[in-house]
Amino acid sequence: MGIFCFSYFSIMTKPIIGIMGAMPQEISGVIELLDNPVSTTIGSRTYTTGTINSIDTVVVFSRWGKVSATATVSALIHHFNITELIFTGVAGAINHQLNIGDIVIGQKLIQHDMDARPLMKQFEIPLLSKTYIETNPDQLTIAQKAIERLLQNDTISNAVGREVLNSFNIIAPKFYTGEIASGDRFFANNDQKDNLLAALPDVLCVEMEGAAVAQVCYEYDIPFTVIRTISDSANDTSHIDFPVFIKKVSSQYSVVIIQAIYNIYTDTQD
């Protein structure tokens, strides 16, 4: 059962949504959306609780990589009793159709650096007998609706500014739903990109946290959504594009994406 459906709000008396980002800029604007924010430090991380659209919410900067992300989501589950997880942030494009500024909603999450051969096949998660962790269809539907609204209403353009978007050659951003690959490696050349595509030809983009977070949520039966903004082409120019994009573009994407999702929460409750 998805957190977004009407029956969820009828049955669950207190939904608590966790929001994570691997960069401080990705969640700083989201924290500003919180009413009555209160900060708590656990394990060198600051978790900020409050409400968005009257829904209890916890926002946290997870830091980079699978270990950092799993430690953070575990705290969200055990200390804050979240009932839903949303991960927002950036990714490098692997599929050649994607452009900087496009948005990817993870339908399947895979750890591209998981390799326990010959004990089991490449990419299979030990003991789970699963290669991919799949997102609940309800979460996908709501994320798709939210981002459709953003693109139709030109909300992203208004939030970021046309001049900034033009500087990254972002003219008409699109969104895609599909496979996201995660691993503890920053892709910074075409050889890395081509090697991943050869092994996982359906992957749309690559990042360092989503599949690990998905595994933890799967094991605890917590619905999750991973939404990534394409910041670079996962090639030789990645290190040049990345810092400026985070500062000027993706931080604004994160805010409007979260706002759009919460607006659909509100619509669902009415």
Side-chain angles (χ1 to χ4, degrees):
M1 179 179 62
I3 191 170
F4 296 109
C5 64
F6 180 81
S7 60
Y8 176 88
F9 288 102
S10 300
I11 296 170
M12 296 293 291
T13 57
K14 190 180 180 183
I16 304 173
I17 302 169
I19 300 174
M20 291 173 57
M23 301 284 290
Q25 298 93 330
E26 292 168 351
I27 57 92
S28 59
V30 178
I31 290 174
E32 293 179 5
L33 297 177
L34 292 169
D35 291 324
N36 304 312
V38 176
S39 295
T40 304
T41 300
I42 301 172
S44 300
R45 288 162 179 74
T46 299
Y47 298 78
T48 305
T49 59
T51 60
I52 301 175
N53 289 13
S54 300
I55 300 170
D56 287 344
T57 302
V58 190
V59 184
V60 58
F61 157 45
S62 69
R63 306 182 183 186
W64 288 22
K66 295 195 301 180
V67 173
S68 294
T70 54
T72 307
V73 73
S74 296
L76 285 171
I77 293 168
H78 292 295
H79 289 273
F80 297 97
N81 302 310
I82 64 166
T83 58
E84 163 92 20
L85 190 282
I86 302 172
F87 201 115
T88 177
V90 296
I94 296 296
N95 185 290
H96 296 295
Q97 292 183 335
L98 270 66
N99 296 302
I100 293 175
D102 288 344
I103 301 169
V104 177
I105 306 167
Q107 183 174 22
K108 294 181 178 179
L109 289 299
I110 185 170
Q111 297 177 52
H112 66 72
D113 57 356
M114 177 63 72
D115 192 348
R117 294 177 296 179
L119 300 178
M120 56 196 66
K121 65 182 180 179
Q122 189 178 12
F123 311 121
E124 182 176 316
I125 302 170
L127 303 181
L128 291 187
S129 299
K130 295 176 72 68
T131 300
Y132 295 94
I133 303 295
E134 296 191 47
T135 304
N136 186 292
D138 289 335
Q139 273 65 46
L140 285 177
T141 297
I142 289 300
Q144 288 167 338
K145 288 181 179 178
I147 293 168
E148 280 178 356
R149 289 183 183 181
L150 292 180
L151 298 180
Q152 290 172 356
N153 297 335
D154 214 22
T155 305
I156 289 175
S157 226
N158 294 332
V160 178
R162 178 46 60 187
E163 183 177 348
V164 173
L165 293 175
N166 288 342
S167 71
F168 286 92
N169 199 31
I170 301 171
I171 307 302
K174 300 177 181 178
F175 84 90
Y176 299 80
T177 302
E179 298 179 11
I180 296 176
S182 307
D184 289 323
R185 167 188 280 186
F186 184 80
F187 279 57
N189 62 64
N190 286 315
D191 287 343
Q192 292 174 316
K193 183 174 179 176
D194 292 341
N195 289 337
L196 180 63
L197 273 176
L200 297 167
D202 295 327
V203 165
L204 295 177
C205 62
V206 63
E207 36 90 310
M208 300 176 72
E209 300 85 22
V213 168
Q215 180 181 338
V216 175
C217 289
Y218 172 81
E219 295 193 34
Y220 283 93
D221 197 25
I222 301 292
F224 65 89
T225 309
V226 176
I227 303 173
R228 294 292 190 170
T229 300
I230 299 302
S231 61
D232 57 82
S233 299
N235 59 21
D236 304 83
T237 64
S238 299
H239 63 291
I240 298 172
D241 299 334
F242 188 75
V244 178
F245 186 89
I246 293 291
K247 179 180 179 180
K248 294 188 176 181
V249 182
S250 69
S251 58
Q252 300 301 319
Y253 268 61
S254 292
V255 171
V256 297
I257 286 170
I258 294 300
Q259 284 178 318
I261 289 174
Y262 273 77
N263 287 341
I264 293 181
Y265 277 125
T266 304
D267 294 344
T268 304
Q269 292 179 78
D270 291 341

